[in-house]
Amino acid sequence: MKKLTLFLAAAFCLCMANKTMAQVASGTTGDCTWTLTGTSGNYTLTISGNGVMEDYSSSDAPWYSYRTDIKSLDIQQGVTIIGNWGFANC
């Protein structure tokens, strides 16, 4: 019984880890790419690539509609310039 319980707990943890890393949306921003992962209410926005991120106005970043659910930001090595207003109202 204990082995079955441990197996089910491990399987649940693996399922939850995979669900957390689910890609929600992605696209390009200048020379870089952006990816939104996670679950509703707990998204991570990752900016990656080599070069310059695009500039935006206060509400036209492609991830703007997710702004209240973005809880972390990961700007990876290689991004040389963070665009203006990219994270406005986040």
Side-chain angles (χ1 to χ4, degrees), residues 44-66:
T44 297
L45 176 61
T46 302
I47 309 293
S48 60
N50 293 301
V52 177
M53 185 181 135
E54 189 172 334
D55 286 333
Y56 297 98
S57 69
S58 63
S59 63
D60 69 347
W63 50 83
Y64 184 80
S65 64
Y66 299 100

Side-chain angles (χ1 to χ4, degrees), residues 36-37 39-45 66-74 90:
L36 194 65
T37 56
T39 57
S40 182
N42 191 25
Y43 292 134
T44 297
L45 176 61
Y66 299 100
R67 70 191 179 285
T68 58
D69 290 333
I70 295 172
K71 301 302 178 197
S72 61
L73 173 64
D74 180 12
C90 287

